[in-house]
Amino acid sequence: MRILVASDTHGDEYALRNAVMQQPTAEVVLFCGDGEEDFMRVKASFPDKMMLGVRGNCDWGSRLPTLQTPSFCGVRIFLTHGHLYGAKMGLYNLYEAARGAQARIVAFGHTHEPLQDYDGGLYAINPGSLSGYVATYGIIDLTPAGIVTNVMRLR
C-alpha cells in the first residue's frame, strides 16, 4: 500500500493537487497541517482517495483534529503537525508521544525540512513543505517485506 504524505502548503493548493496526481497509486493521502483550505479543496476533487488531515499552527479556526492515529495494513501511524511537540526544537517529545500511542510511524510537518528517520523501531517522515521553490512530499510504502519511506521533489 502506498501513502502520500504532504504538509505545509500555505495556500498552494496547486502543489498539493499536483503531488496527488504524481502519485496515482497512492491509496491514502495524509496531510500534516498548515493549509487546511488547500487540503479540503483537493480532498473534494479526489473522492476515491482516503484523505486524512490534521490542523497546523497556521490553520486558525480549523475543526480538524491536532492528532490522528490511523492504521493501514496493521501499521499505526501517528499523524500530527508537530508544533505541539516542539518539533522545531527537537524530536524527542514527538517520538515519545508516537511510541506512547503504539505507532510504528510518525508523520509530521511544521519544520518545512524533509526528514526520514528510524529510531528504535519507529519510522519518522516529515515531507517538508509543498510551498516554495523546493516543494517536497513524502511517500510511505507498506509492503509484506516492511516499511519504506521516501521524500520526493515535486515535479
Side-chain angles (χ1 to χ4, degrees):
M1 167 182 251
R2 176 160 280 192
I3 301 168
L4 186 149
V5 184
S7 189
D8 295 278
T9 54
H10 293 285
D12 196 342
E13 174 188 339
Y14 172 78
L16 180 56
R17 187 177 304 281
N18 197 11
V20 173
M21 291 188 313
Q22 284 181 22
Q23 296 297 326
T25 61
E27 298 174 49
V28 176
V29 177
L30 300 179
F31 185 72
C32 301
D34 277 1
E36 177 187 8
E37 291 179 13
D38 310 323
F39 171 68
M40 297 308 275
R41 283 192 290 267
V42 171
K43 180 178 180 178
S45 297
F46 294 92
D48 294 340
K49 291 203 184 280
M50 175 184 277
M51 294 191 164
L52 302 174
V54 294
R55 84 172 152 242
N57 61 302
C58 294
D59 291 324
W60 302 288
S62 172
R63 291 191 176 163
L64 289 175
T66 58
L67 170 68
Q68 292 205 48
T69 55
S71 292
F72 305 101
C73 303
V75 176
R76 179 172 289 174
I77 298 174
F78 189 90
L79 173 65
T80 192
H81 184 60
H83 65 296
L84 298 176
Y85 302 93
K88 286 187 177 179
M89 304 304 288
L91 300 176
Y92 178 80
N93 291 336
L94 178 61
Y95 285 12
E96 287 304 301
R99 286 187 175 101
Q102 299 178 330
R104 298 266 324 274
I105 302 170
V106 56
F108 67 103
H110 187 54
T111 68
H112 293 212
E113 296 291 328
L115 170 81
Q116 297 174 87
D117 192 18
Y118 180 79
D119 184 82
L122 180 68
Y123 291 85
I125 186 163
N126 182 329
S129 174
L130 269 173
S131 64
Y133 180 70
V134 182
T136 56
Y137 61 91
I139 295 294
I140 301 169
D141 285 312
L142 304 176
T143 72
I147 298 167
V148 179
T149 63
N150 283 296
V151 173
M152 314 287 286
R153 187 167 177 181
L154 189 66
R155 295 178 276 168

